[in-house]
Amino acid sequence: MAQKVAILGAGMTKFMRRAKETGKELSFEAAKMALIDAKMDISEIDCVVMATAPDTFDGVHMKGDWLSDGAGGKRKPYMRSYVGGGSGVFSIIHGFYLVASGIFDTCLVVAEEKMSSCMPHPQGAFNSIYDQFLERPLGVNLLWIFSLEMMRYMKVHKIPLETIALVSVKNKKNGMDHPCSQKGIAGEYTVKDILDSEVIAYPVYRLMVSPVTDAACAIVIASEHEAKRRTDKPIWIEGVGWCLDTSYWTNRDLYYPKYVEYAARMAYDMAGIKDPRKEIHVVEPYDPFAYKELHHLEGLLLADKGEAPKLLEKGFWDRDTENGIPSCPSGGLLGVGNPIAAAGLMKVIEIYLQLKGEAGKRQVKREVKRGLAQAWGDLMQVGTVVILSK
């Protein structure tokens, strides 16, 4: 690659449902905060990358174009990235290549989602992503197929439902310390509380599912010479990876996310990582459902197949662990919220803050020199990974 790439600043709006702001305004708020954090002006940005999910959510056709003013893309090279829930991490991969290639020196990456304007519920919009002849007539939605995947994962590894519930307990507690956490989703819960909540589609319970959220996040990235000119403490993007499996999810064994492993291996190779379990010190795997955090930790090769739940029971993934790997110290999507495209960038920002030592009450106890953020989306077949270091 032609040149190294660093993160100089980050911004994030409050996560909430039914925000009064439009998608443009949310994008503007996050972009402005990222520029202030980087001590830069929009005139110093060479290009803008926007990540946002289905147009249906905002009810605006070609909403990438519609959001460009708010994201600072006016009269600049501006591109939209969209791979469902994987978009937030994919957007920084997109920006990384624009800068690493030498085409641009600076890039503003913005990820926005305003889901609450999709009525009566965004799950209705998701039905349109399925094959219109083979799957859509069945009335499927994402909750429906995730319950099948969770059941398969539990059955193959003989994982108790109570262990899956521990992910919700951990992340909702961590989310209490996140200043942007959506009101009402973080808190001190017990396994009993989780399993006493309503069954959405067995074995998925309501408190194992991340909520509908409106929010935006933004990051400023720059080339090596720009980074060294502007800061003494740049956070480097060491490795990126992504993979897209077939959309025919019924043709895959759902117990293991191969596409996440392929994306992770690509990122590890770029970063020169040989043993991720020793060289990754903090991780933000994508957790829209409780079981997905464990599923993804195994796909990221941070645990053997079926081992992540056992490590969870031992506290290996806890935020205050000194010998394990803290997982979702932010609170994740279960404890902060899930504005689809913006959620992945929230996870990148958490790793950025952990490496800078600026995560406040969420700062992990163990020393961190390198961290990983991962997202996932569409029909359970998109894996996106980014590795950051000091």
Side-chain angles (χ1 to χ4, degrees):
M1 199 56 66
Q3 56 184 349
K4 293 175 66 177
V5 180
I7 297 176
L8 300 185
M12 187 186 316
T13 69
K14 178 75 176 174
F15 281 35
M16 62 192 304
R17 185 171 185 179
R18 302 194 185 285
K20 292 181 179 177
E21 297 83 358
T22 66
K24 280 188 184 183
E25 291 166 330
L26 290 171
S27 300
F28 175 82
E29 284 185 27
K32 183 177 180 181
M33 285 190 278
L35 289 167
I36 291 173
D37 189 37
K39 299 179 177 60
M40 294 175 68
D41 184 83
I42 189 66
S43 64
E44 298 175 281
I45 296 296
D46 294 340
C47 66
V48 176
V49 169
M50 161 60 75
T52 187
D55 292 358
T56 309
F57 285 170
D58 286 82
V60 179
H61 181 51
M62 296 177 68
K63 74 171 178 173
D65 295 4
W66 180 68
L67 293 167
S68 61
D69 287 338
K74 180 182 176 183
R75 295 175 182 164
K76 292 182 184 294
Y78 172 87
M79 287 146 281
R80 175 187 180 183
S81 294
Y82 172 41
V83 285
S87 300
V89 171
F90 192 71
S91 65
I92 194 169
I93 294 174
H94 188 168
F96 167 82
Y97 276 106
L98 290 173
V99 175
S101 64
I103 298 175
F104 301 107
D105 274 327
T106 58
C107 178
L108 174 62
V109 178
V110 184
E112 174 274 350
E113 210 68 75
K114 187 168 175 60
M115 300 177 68
S116 65
S117 50
C118 184
M119 299 298 287
H121 194 281
Q123 283 297 331
F126 285 131
N127 181 253
S128 64
I129 68 177
Y130 297 93
D131 185 288
Q132 65 268 47
F133 299 110
L134 300 177
E135 297 167 342
R136 205 180 301 176
L138 298 174
V140 292
N141 60 42
L142 293 181
L143 290 162
W144 201 84
I145 62 172
F146 294 151
S147 68
L148 295 176
E149 185 177 68
M150 178 174 166
M151 183 66 86
R152 177 63 178 157
Y153 179 54
M154 292 172 61
K155 186 174 179 62
V156 168
H157 298 304
K158 298 180 174 54
I159 304 168
L161 199 55
E162 289 76 10
T163 300
I164 302 288
L166 281 173
V167 175
S168 293
V169 172
K170 173 177 71 70
N171 290 3
K172 288 181 177 297
K173 183 178 180 181
N174 288 349
M176 293 172 68
D177 294 325
H178 201 298
C180 295
S181 176
Q182 185 165 330
K183 185 177 180 181
I185 68 166
E188 293 268 11
Y189 289 88
T190 64
V191 168
K192 183 177 185 303
D193 294 331
I194 305 300
L195 298 182
D196 280 348
S197 63
E198 302 92 323
V199 175
I200 303 297
Y202 191 83
V204 175
Y205 288 72
R206 180 176 59 80
L207 291 177
M208 294 178 177
V209 184
S210 55
V212 170
T213 306
D214 303 335
C217 298
I219 278 180
V220 175
I221 61 177
S223 61
E224 182 175 12
H225 72 270
E226 276 291 328
K228 289 184 175 177
R229 187 169 72 85
R230 294 176 180 276
T231 179
D232 295 329
K233 296 196 305 182
I235 300 300
W236 301 104
I237 301 175
E238 272 197 326
V240 300
W242 69 99
C243 179
L244 184 69
D245 208 332
T246 174
S247 62
Y248 285 99
W249 54 277
T250 52
N251 294 359
R252 290 182 272 128
D253 192 329
L254 301 177
Y255 89 99
Y256 183 71
K258 287 183 179 176
Y259 46 92
V260 173
E261 179 183 333
Y262 296 154
R265 287 190 182 280
M266 177 180 172
Y268 292 146
D269 287 345
M270 187 182 293
I273 292 175
K274 304 296 183 187
D275 187 350
R277 299 180 195 186
K278 293 181 179 176
E279 298 177 73
I280 297 296
H281 308 129
V282 60
V283 61
E284 279 280 340
Y286 209 61
D287 61 320
F289 294 79
Y291 79 97
K292 288 305 294 183
E293 177 169 334
L294 305 171
H295 205 231
H296 289 155
L297 286 167
E298 293 171 11
L300 292 168
L301 307 176
L302 297 175
D304 291 336
K305 293 177 182 177
E307 185 187 26
K310 297 171 185 171
L311 292 173
L312 175 72
E313 293 170 346
K314 296 175 182 175
F316 184 86
W317 311 114
D318 287 355
R319 191 166 70 190
D320 60 357
T321 181
E322 295 185 1
N323 301 312
I325 304 174
S327 178
C328 287
S330 68
L333 312 188
L334 292 166
V336 184
N338 185 11
I340 303 287
L345 202 55
M346 179 275 281
K347 289 184 165 289
V348 177
I349 292 173
E350 180 67 17
I351 297 299
Y352 165 75
L353 294 173
Q354 290 286 344
L355 290 168
K356 290 188 74 175
E358 297 178 359
K361 292 181 180 178
R362 307 186 312 282
Q363 190 68 43
V364 302
K365 284 188 176 180
R366 66 166 293 180
E367 183 182 15
V368 289
K369 296 180 180 178
R370 184 183 283 123
L372 182 153
Q374 173 255 331
W376 154 91
D378 280 359
L379 284 167
M380 305 188 293
Q381 90 277 35
V382 175
T384 52
V385 174
V386 62
I387 296 170
L388 307 182
S389 71
K390 291 183 178 178

